[in-house]
Amino acid sequence: MREPLDPDMFDPVCPSDLTPIRFGDKWAGMVIRCLEHGPRRFSELRIPLRGVTAKVLTQSLRALERDGMVVRVEHSGPIRRVEYELTPLGRSLLEPMAAACAWAEEHWEELLDAREAAAARAR
């Protein structure tokens, strides 16, 4: 049995929201991180990604599947279940994502200052 996903694995004020580097849609990078240690069911992904609706998570998973980053595996049997798993192409994003996260953490204050200045100018 694999370790359950930590419900608090993503900080609500996560630097990934500030970084100008995006991996797919808003949730794709977090989905990829959730799948880093093996396949997960949709209900497992909803635990740390509680801020996303089921509809949007489904759209994100479908986009990742379309782009070859994730594979959807259906298990038949007495209890039918579906799991999502990173493909080798999806796994190849883990290192660049870690670099982008490290960059955002290093420049966190500058990013916040720039956002606050832009918001002030907009007022």
Side-chain angles (χ1 to χ4, degrees):
M1 184 105 206
R2 49 180 187 256
E3 193 74 24
L5 291 172
D6 179 359
D8 298 317
M9 72 186 279
F10 299 111
D11 185 329
V13 190
C14 179
S16 68
D17 190 40
L18 284 177
T19 182
I21 303 164
R22 295 286 169 155
F23 296 92
D25 61 46
K26 176 181 179 178
W27 299 99
M30 288 183 262
V31 169
I32 290 169
R33 291 296 306 269
C34 287
L35 298 174
E36 183 174 6
H37 299 294
R40 296 289 179 171
R41 296 177 72 173
F42 186 87
S43 59
E44 290 179 283
L45 296 173
R46 295 287 315 270
I47 294 168
L49 300 174
R50 59 188 168 277
V52 64
T53 65
K55 178 182 176 181
V56 172
L57 179 56
T58 298
Q59 290 171 343
S60 187
L61 285 163
R62 286 182 180 159
L64 287 166
E65 185 178 13
R66 178 201 64 220
D67 294 340
M69 304 296 170
V70 168
V71 64
R72 181 179 187 268
V73 180
E74 291 187 42
H75 299 279
S76 59
I79 299 174
R80 185 175 167 257
R81 62 189 173 92
V82 173
E83 290 183 320
Y84 297 90
E85 185 173 6
L86 288 178
T87 63
L89 184 61
R91 287 203 160 284
S92 72
L93 272 177
L94 292 172
E95 191 173 331
M97 284 176 58
C101 287
W103 179 89
E105 287 175 20
E106 182 179 332
H107 297 283
W108 175 251
E109 292 299 324
E110 294 165 87
L111 292 165
L112 280 176
D113 291 345
R115 289 263 174 108
E116 289 169 4
R121 285 190 304 272
R123 287 181 248 157

